[in-house]
Amino acid sequence: MRVLDAPVSAPVPCLDGQLNKFVDAPEGVRAVALFDEASGRSLSREDFTGWEEFGSALAQIHISKVAGEGLPTLAIAQLLLNPSKQWRTKLHAVGQTDFEVASLVEGLARLIEPVMPYLPIGLVHGDTAGGNAHMSPDGRIAFFDFMWTGIGPWCWDLGTFRRGAGEIDRNWNALCKGYESVRKLADSELAAIPILAAIRCVFTTANIIDECDLDLQAEMTVPWLDKRASELKRLCDRIPQLV
């Protein structure tokens, strides 16, 4: 399957034509699907190559004409408010204060809520921290893992990358160069990206807490939660309006 010039991994239908099946797992019922191969090598945040191509392919996905019927709409409640409640509930459960997390989330909500209606929206991949794409020998990027795909601000994908492999400025600058070779970022998007990078930290923390199974219980410790709070604080420190 192709989204304009950005190749992506596509689901392989079952014999009955369905794209997914439901299975019983230790943590509950899970949906599983088989996707075709995304050929090439994984990109590495320490390699510094491939991010310009990654950015160009991501922009092609954003400007694609693929229909978004049935996809979730990524609103502030789904990205920040509800996830922050899950995080704070977990902190209470282990006897920790949620004051710092609550204060930072309040600041993020104050900054992003008035901006969200003015950010260009469309199809977003949803998990572009860096690992969900392969690069072929001829430089073609193939995206996979569309678990969090939806309709939302395009710069959500850039904020996600900024929080991941894009924390290294060399990677970030390369991605922006590739992205803007296809689609120019608006000033409002550039201002929103560091805010969305911090919001991504809240979003992923809540997802790990929510989906935690027996193999991940080691992460549900006070030191792990402290580490996530420190990351959120570090990301928020990069936002001029919050400093």
Side-chain angles (χ1 to χ4, degrees):
M1 181 175 73
R2 289 183 180 273
V3 182
L4 290 186
D5 291 330
V8 299
S9 179
V12 178
C14 300
L15 291 176
D16 60 6
Q18 296 298 310
L19 296 178
N20 58 51
K21 292 290 184 180
F22 294 93
V23 299
D24 290 324
E27 65 272 22
V29 176
R30 290 278 187 153
V32 297
L34 174 66
F35 280 74
D36 57 20
E37 180 183 9
S39 60
R41 65 173 178 85
S42 297
L43 301 180
S44 169
R45 59 184 289 154
E46 287 81 21
D47 188 350
F48 308 133
T49 61
W51 298 120
E52 187 173 337
E53 293 84 354
F54 183 101
S56 174
L58 179 60
Q60 291 288 358
I61 289 178
H62 287 169
I63 65 173
S64 71
K65 303 301 182 183
V66 174
E69 289 85 355
L71 292 175
T73 299
L74 306 179
I76 189 65
Q78 287 72 40
L79 299 180
L80 177 64
L81 301 182
N82 294 341
S84 71
K85 291 177 183 177
Q86 290 177 273
W87 191 348
R88 294 167 62 189
T89 297
K90 187 63 180 180
L91 287 169
H92 292 160
V94 298
Q96 297 296 298
T97 176
D98 68 346
F99 176 77
E100 182 175 43
V101 170
S103 177
L104 293 173
V105 166
E106 181 181 354
L108 292 171
R110 172 174 50 83
L111 292 177
I112 201 63
E113 283 182 323
V115 176
M116 285 283 281
Y118 300 99
L119 298 175
I121 66 170
L123 181 72
V124 297
H125 177 279
D127 195 4
T128 52
N132 291 329
H134 283 169
M135 185 179 205
S136 65
D138 63 355
R140 298 278 289 172
I141 295 292
F143 282 90
F144 52 89
D145 193 351
F146 295 89
M147 183 176 72
W148 287 338
T149 294
I151 303 299
W154 285 327
C155 57
W156 172 244
D157 276 343
L158 283 90
T160 296
F161 181 81
R162 186 57 164 152
R163 185 237 168 195
E167 285 214 275
I168 299 174
D169 285 338
R170 187 171 175 180
N171 297 341
W172 173 245
N173 293 334
L175 174 126
C176 289
K177 180 180 179 181
Y179 189 93
E180 293 203 289
S181 70
V182 176
R183 175 185 171 267
K184 184 71 174 175
L185 288 164
D187 290 342
S188 60
E189 294 177 283
L190 292 171
I193 285 169
I195 304 171
L196 293 172
I199 290 175
R200 180 70 185 191
C201 177
V202 179
F203 180 81
T204 55
T205 298
N207 273 278
I208 293 173
I209 291 172
D210 187 50
E211 297 179 0
C212 181
D213 58 32
L214 294 177
D215 292 333
L216 293 178
Q217 284 295 335
E219 289 192 330
M220 294 296 100
T221 62
V222 171
W224 182 84
L225 291 165
D226 287 344
K227 184 177 179 180
R228 302 297 287 201
S230 295
E231 180 190 4
L232 178 60
K233 177 66 165 59
R234 174 171 55 79
L235 291 167
C236 287
D237 285 344
R238 295 179 177 178
I239 304 170
Q241 303 96 310
L242 280 179
V243 174

